[in-house]
Amino acid sequence: MKVLIFCILILGFISSCLCERWNTNAALTKNNVYNVIDYGARGDGVTDDTQAFLKAWSDTCGAEGESTLLIPPNKLYLVNNVEFSGACKAKSILIQLKGKITAPPQNAFKDKSFWIKIQYINSLTIDGSGIGEITGQGSTWWACKSCPRPKILFFHSCNDLSVSNLRITNSPGGHISINGCNNGKFSHMNVQSPGDSPNTDGFDISASKNILIEDSAIEVGDDCIAINGGSSYINASRLACGPGHGISIGSLGKGNSHETVEEVQVQNCSFTNTTNGARIKTFPGGSGYARKIRFEQIQLTNVMNAIIIDQQYGVKDAVESAVQVSDVTYYGIKGTSAGDLAINLKCESCFNIVLDQINIVSSQPKKEAQSYCKNFNGKIGSSTIPKVNCN
């Protein structure tokens, strides 16, 4: 009888433990929420949390229906090179980035082309809730301008992508790269590096379609946005750019390549203390086109090259072939220029270029803003300031 009672007590104890363990696992995956802390992340800024992130991602990606990867607040996560890859079983995925992710030292990087790569995932949302941050410790890289330096976030072949309420700072190289993506939205982003940090583009877009960047601030050492070959239907709205190199189409046609960009809208944006404002740049010798582009309602403050088409990018002398630039409109652009040439239309193959409602004056006391125009085909409104005479 005593043996029977003992066995019953042991069985009850084991059952209780099993239930407790089951309840813990159930809590872990309740509503398909996968918390990196439950996978071993410490969030102390010293311990390498890379494997915890990858294990949590594996379960997030493999879940049925909708799933969430949770990166909790009030912690600093040290993470090395990571790839969040699909295809995923989950129908849609939310990454709630409420904490701060920091890069490892230079010598710890395994791949210097990227830091965080997100690829082959559809219906992905990343939300920083206004408190999430990714910082790249870029100041430890910038001294060597010719060295390979990783991008912070690299999106490849992600469709129906949404990224919002996130701060990304001090990238060794570019901050956000978007390649081969269709239907992406970036909103309420704060992208920031010093104005003298080398090649720290805010957004690099290539071979992508239907990309919207809106309601964001971009302060970097290179282009706030660079729109590269194979991209179309790109919209930049209500952005504050500066410092930086402005918003650029290109450069296109490098190494005699064939590249195309079309259907670009840049509207209701401000440029402050930038080296360029609205820029299109192509290498001589290339082919293809940059067309159906519109810059409108732009406010300039102390911008070096406010409006510039440069089809001799990187060289002094033009060659016979060039990427064709056509159907470009500059409308409602006002403010101050820090450079001698507020409008610089250095064309080789430009057609149907329209400037209207332009009023750009020099930010230098007692100095008038100037213009330059070559090989221009299009229309310049009579009220355009500074006056543009084309040859």
Side-chain angles (χ1 to χ4, degrees):
M1 188 69 176
K2 290 182 179 180
V3 173
L4 179 60
I5 293 173
F6 177 76
C7 290
I8 291 173
L9 290 173
I10 291 296
L11 182 61
F13 175 76
I14 293 173
S15 298
S16 175
C17 291
L18 288 173
C19 288
E20 183 178 349
R21 183 176 179 182
W22 185 87
N23 287 333
T24 300
N25 289 337
L28 173 67
T29 59
K30 184 179 180 180
N31 298 322
N32 284 351
V33 176
Y34 302 90
N35 188 330
V36 295
I37 298 296
D38 294 321
Y39 290 82
R42 299 289 295 275
D44 57 13
V46 178
T47 306
D48 188 340
D49 290 327
T50 306
Q51 291 305 312
F53 272 56
L54 291 173
K55 290 175 183 177
W57 169 255
S58 179
D59 284 352
T60 304
C61 181
E64 298 281 356
E66 300 176 351
S67 65
T68 298
L69 175 66
L70 176 60
I71 304 169
N74 304 317
K75 289 183 178 293
L76 178 63
Y77 304 90
L78 176 65
V79 175
N80 210 314
N81 293 97
V82 292
E83 292 188 21
F84 293 159
S85 294
C88 291
K89 183 182 291 185
K91 183 179 179 180
S92 64
I93 293 175
L94 167 64
I95 297 178
Q96 284 189 327
L97 203 175
K98 295 185 176 184
K100 183 175 181 178
I101 299 175
T102 187
Q106 278 192 54
N107 58 10
F109 266 83
K110 301 173 184 177
D111 188 332
K112 290 183 171 60
S113 62
F114 74 92
W115 174 23
I116 301 171
K117 180 186 285 187
I118 299 174
Q119 60 183 356
Y120 309 117
I121 304 167
N122 296 330
S123 300
L124 171 66
T125 298
I126 302 176
D127 184 10
S129 302
I131 56 175
E133 181 176 347
I134 305 175
T135 184
Q137 308 296 339
S139 61
T140 64
W141 297 77
W142 297 329
C144 181
K145 296 183 179 181
S146 61
C147 295
R149 286 177 280 115
K151 306 171 180 66
I152 281 187
L153 270 178
F154 178 39
F155 294 98
H156 175 65
S157 293
C158 294
N159 301 324
D160 301 317
L161 171 68
S162 176
V163 184
S164 62
N165 303 301
L166 183 61
R167 177 177 168 86
I168 301 181
T169 65
N170 295 323
S171 179
H175 289 76
I176 301 171
S177 290
I178 304 161
N179 172 260
C181 298
N182 185 14
N183 193 24
K185 179 181 178 181
F186 295 79
S187 63
H188 298 95
M189 304 290 290
N190 189 331
V191 180
Q192 189 175 59
S193 283
D196 60 354
S197 57
N199 305 114
T200 52
D201 290 1
F203 290 82
D204 276 303
I205 304 171
S206 61
S208 296
K209 186 176 181 180
N210 295 317
I211 305 297
L212 169 63
I213 304 171
E214 65 178 6
D215 300 310
S216 298
I218 308 170
E219 304 175 30
V220 290
D222 210 308
D223 293 327
C224 289
I225 301 175
I227 302 168
N228 299 301
S231 297
S232 59
Y233 296 93
I234 310 299
N235 190 310
S237 299
R238 300 181 300 279
L239 304 180
C241 168
H245 293 183
I247 295 180
S248 298
I249 311 298
S251 54
L252 304 176
K254 187 175 183 179
N256 300 327
S257 61
H258 178 89
E259 293 187 291
T260 64
V261 169
E262 64 181 336
E263 298 289 358
V264 176
Q265 293 267 354
V266 179
Q267 55 197 355
N268 298 310
C269 296
S270 66
F271 297 87
T272 304
N273 298 323
T274 55
T275 55
N276 304 285
R279 177 165 66 159
I280 300 173
K281 50 181 178 173
T282 72
F283 282 94
S287 62
Y289 54 79
R291 66 189 185 191
K292 298 180 181 178
I293 298 164
R294 186 175 181 91
F295 294 92
E296 70 172 312
Q297 302 305 328
I298 305 296
Q299 182 65 46
L300 309 165
T301 303
N302 205 43
V303 173
M304 189 65 67
N305 301 291
I307 296 174
I308 179 169
I309 297 176
D310 185 0
Q311 292 208 273
Q312 298 178 17
Y313 186 68
V315 300
K316 293 182 179 179
D317 300 318
V319 296
E320 292 182 359
S321 62
V323 175
Q324 187 178 97
V325 177
S326 65
D327 301 312
V328 179
T329 298
Y330 300 92
Y331 181 85
I333 300 180
K334 301 177 181 180
T336 59
S337 169
D340 294 333
L341 293 176
I343 300 174
N344 187 358
L345 306 175
K346 192 161 50 177
C347 291
E348 294 299 330
S349 181
C350 293
F351 301 93
N352 194 26
I353 312 299
V354 176
L355 282 78
D356 195 15
Q357 301 297 313
I358 309 297
N359 190 333
I360 306 170
V361 298
S362 178
S363 59
Q364 304 176 52
K366 299 181 181 180
K367 192 168 185 177
E368 290 188 5
Q370 304 294 319
S371 68
Y372 175 81
C373 184
K374 175 189 175 186
N375 296 328
F376 177 85
N377 291 278
K379 178 183 176 181
I380 298 175
S382 59
S383 62
T384 296
I385 300 174
K387 188 175 181 180
V388 181
N389 294 315
C390 293
N391 53 25

